[in-house]
Amino acid sequence: MAGYTGQPDDQYSPYGQQPYPNTPDQGYAYPPPGPDPEPAPQPPALPPLPWRQLLTGIVTRPQDTFMRMRDYQMWAPALIVTFLYGMLAVLGLEDARDTVLDSTASTVAPYLIGTGVAMVLGALVLSTVTHNLARQFGGNGIWAPTAGLAMLIMCITDIPRLALALFLGGGAPLVQIVGWATWLGAGALFTLMVSASHEISRPRALGASVVQLLALLMLIKLGTI
């Protein structure tokens, strides 16, 4: 046939389309050199929760609360709640409750203040142990938020048992049942908190909380149960 050379047309592929360039000198096979694109801006961190939302959120929205507060200290609510709890926890003990009720106000006040201070110091030490164990298990959390949340969990979860013990006495069957139930609830909250604060698995978080849970059981729960 006239004009046929036996070679395919360079401008078209066998399917009637232009071939894609595969070298830089053919145009657009490679992106032009230049600086790397800037990463997308991160949303600003949420502010810490007010103390009322913090206290209620530990029970009603624990996971969200622990994630929100993992980088913020909360010494004021933690120390105040623990101190007040320590003063009232004495009334949940059978022998101490009778002694307090039979004493005058001037005699009872130093005793209650002393127990409140002792509870604060004890809870702080136990919460620090929980934090250090979490770090040993690979956690990366901060001491102040972990200790503050652990102190609040320790006190808040025991309020139902303590409220019943003030009126029914620590040996009442209902108080015993509530005591064990709230202790298990404290274990669940400790696990969620340590896992969220230190970014470790829940079994490791529970292991980090064992010392504080056992101390809570032996020093407070078993004293009335």
Side-chain angles (χ1 to χ4, degrees), residues 26-86:
Q26 288 182 286
Y28 50 85
Y30 299 95
D36 295 335
E38 296 182 359
Q42 297 296 325
L46 295 176
L49 293 172
W51 67 270
R52 292 180 182 177
Q53 296 182 22
L54 170 63
L55 299 182
T56 57
I58 289 176
V59 178
T60 60
R61 303 178 306 278
Q63 186 67 30
D64 294 340
T65 300
F66 298 149
M67 291 298 297
R68 176 84 168 263
M69 298 299 294
R70 58 170 295 181
D71 296 322
Y72 297 105
Q73 63 181 14
M74 59 213 76
W75 288 123
L79 296 176
I80 293 173
V81 169
T82 306
F83 178 76
L84 295 176
Y85 169 77

Side-chain angles (χ1 to χ4, degrees), residues 130 133-134 137 191 194 201-212:
T130 298
L133 287 176
F137 292 160
T191 301
V194 176
S201 64
R202 292 184 179 180
R204 291 188 177 186
L206 179 59
S209 309
V210 164
V211 173
Q212 191 164 10

Side-chain angles (χ1 to χ4, degrees), residues 1-208:
M1 182 180 295
Y4 179 73
T5 63
Q7 298 294 330
D9 191 349
D10 292 339
Q11 296 180 352
Y12 298 94
S13 68
Y15 298 98
Q17 297 178 350
Q18 290 183 346
Y20 293 102
N22 54 11
T23 58
D25 57 357
Q26 288 182 286
Y28 50 85
Y30 299 95
D36 295 335
E38 296 182 359
Q42 297 296 325
L46 295 176
L49 293 172
W51 67 270
R52 292 180 182 177
Q53 296 182 22
L54 170 63
L55 299 182
T56 57
I58 289 176
V59 178
T60 60
R61 303 178 306 278
Q63 186 67 30
D64 294 340
T65 300
F66 298 149
M67 291 298 297
R68 176 84 168 263
M69 298 299 294
R70 58 170 295 181
D71 296 322
Y72 297 105
Q73 63 181 14
M74 59 213 76
W75 288 123
L79 296 176
I80 293 173
V81 169
T82 306
F83 178 76
L84 295 176
Y85 169 77
M87 294 177 62
L88 295 176
V90 179
L91 301 178
L93 303 173
E94 292 289 347
D95 296 337
R97 181 168 175 264
D98 296 337
T99 301
V100 170
L101 294 178
D102 294 338
S103 303
T104 61
S106 59
T107 305
V108 171
Y111 181 71
L112 294 180
I113 293 175
T115 57
V117 173
M119 181 62 69
V120 169
L121 296 177
L124 181 59
V125 171
L126 291 172
S127 300
T128 302
V129 171
T130 298
H131 166 75
N132 290 335
L133 287 176
R135 297 286 296 213
Q136 292 294 322
F137 292 160
N140 57 4
I142 307 173
W143 169 69
T146 303
L149 287 171
M151 293 172 69
L152 289 174
I153 292 172
M154 182 177 176
C155 299
I156 291 176
T157 54
D158 196 46
I159 289 178
R161 182 205 62 83
L162 181 58
L164 291 174
L166 293 177
F167 299 98
L168 302 179
L174 179 60
V175 176
Q176 297 179 23
I177 295 173
V178 173
W180 284 105
T182 54
W183 183 72
L184 294 175
L189 291 179
F190 272 120
T191 301
L192 290 177
M193 184 273 292
V194 176
S195 178
S197 297
H198 286 265
E199 297 182 347
I200 58 178
S201 64
R202 292 184 179 180
R204 291 188 177 186
L206 179 59

